[in-house]
């Protein structure tokens, strides 16, 4: 199980784009910042190789304003 963590602006479109990086079996948790400007998305997903992890980060890098933790 690998844990991904991203921070994005709290726009519904951005949240949906991040959530769609993962399959239905992933455990997703979203939390809005105190001011409501940002949302953190934590995803726990079973991965079988490093390449799968890298692929998720490559796809995520295309989302405007995303931050990786």
């Amino acid at each position: 199980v690998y844990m991904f963590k991203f921070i994005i602006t709290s726009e519904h479109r951005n949240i949906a784009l991040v959530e769609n990086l993962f399959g239905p079996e992933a455990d997703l948790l979203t939390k809005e910042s105190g001011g409501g400007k940002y949302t953190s998305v934590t995803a726990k997903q079973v991965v079988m190789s490093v390449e799968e992890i890298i692929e998720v980060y490559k796809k995520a890098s295309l989302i405007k304003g995303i931050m990786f933790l």
Side-chain angles (χ1 to χ4, degrees):
V1 176
Y2 187 83
M3 185 170 68
F4 297 88
K5 185 145 186 156
F6 303 103
I7 296 178
I8 51 172
T9 55
S10 293
E11 298 170 21
H12 294 294
R13 180 181 186 276
N14 285 346
I15 295 168
L17 287 171
V18 173
E19 289 176 343
N20 286 330
L21 293 171
F22 305 98
E25 71 284 348
D27 182 21
L28 293 171
L29 172 69
T30 59
K31 183 177 180 187
E32 196 172 85
S33 65
K37 187 174 180 181
Y38 296 98
T39 297
S40 69
V41 179
T42 304
K44 294 180 183 176
Q45 181 168 305
V46 175
V47 294
M48 298 305 205
S49 67
V50 173
E51 288 79 18
E52 287 181 57
I53 296 169
I54 293 169
E55 189 62 30
V56 170
Y57 281 114
K58 281 183 181 178
K59 289 177 183 176
S61 71
L62 302 175
I63 300 170
K64 185 177 178 180
I66 195 166
M67 293 177 264
F68 307 140
L69 299 179

